[in-house]
Amino acid sequence: MNAKFALIMGIIPLLYLIIRKITKLKFNYQSLISITLIILSGTLTWQFRIFQLNNQFDTSTKLNPANQLKTQINLRELNFELYIFIGFIIGTFASILIFKNNRIKKLKLNKKETE
């Protein structure tokens, strides 16, 4: 589990380089926003997984409260790494869409000014 988590965290710079290559970021604040989007998306999907697990545990304990069931789950079944990775990918696509559209708008404005 720790090796997967470390690999997924190590993908952040690679995702940033992909964003930088595709969108040609020029300003530091754009880079900061793209990295923030990647990390924020990963955190949100991770929290979504925690929310899912809490709901699953709540429904399993409500089924038979007289037995006072203690729920257990295997750590390998949590899939936190998968959810964080999916969040990082979502953040990467969001950054590409945001900054690619800005670049296209600027190109259109430059064409209109030269005409």
Side-chain angles (χ1 to χ4, degrees):
M1 183 170 146
N2 291 335
K4 285 185 201 176
F5 186 76
L7 283 172
I8 290 171
M9 288 298 157
I11 285 178
I12 293 174
L14 178 65
L15 295 175
Y16 169 72
L17 289 175
I18 291 170
I19 293 169
R20 191 173 177 117
K21 178 94 173 163
I22 292 173
T23 61
K24 296 183 173 74
L25 300 176
K26 294 184 179 180
F27 302 107
N28 286 336
Y29 74 89
Q30 290 176 332
S31 299
L32 185 62
I33 290 171
S34 64
I35 291 172
T36 303
L37 272 173
I38 292 171
I39 294 172
L40 185 68
S41 298
T43 305
L44 286 175
T45 54
W46 182 39
Q47 290 296 320
F48 176 70
R49 179 61 178 156
I50 291 171
F51 176 75
Q52 284 180 329
L53 290 172
N54 283 336
N55 282 341
Q56 183 181 359
F57 289 144
D58 287 344
T59 56
S60 66
T61 55
K62 287 179 183 176
L63 294 176
N64 196 354
N67 288 342
Q68 300 271 333
L69 295 175
K70 293 185 179 183
T71 56
Q72 294 179 350
I73 192 164
N74 189 355
L75 284 176
R76 292 181 186 159
E77 295 175 10
L78 295 178
N79 297 324
F80 284 132
E81 298 91 1
L82 177 65
Y83 280 81
I84 291 173
F85 180 70
I86 291 170
F88 288 166
I89 298 297
I90 290 170
T92 301
F93 284 129
S95 294
I96 289 171
L97 290 175
I98 289 169
F99 292 117
K100 190 76 165 178
N101 287 339
N102 286 342
R103 188 171 155 233
I104 292 170
K105 287 178 187 177
K106 287 178 185 177
L107 289 174
K108 286 181 181 179
L109 286 175
N110 288 339
K111 282 185 182 179
K112 287 182 182 179
E113 289 175 359
T114 56
E115 291 177 354

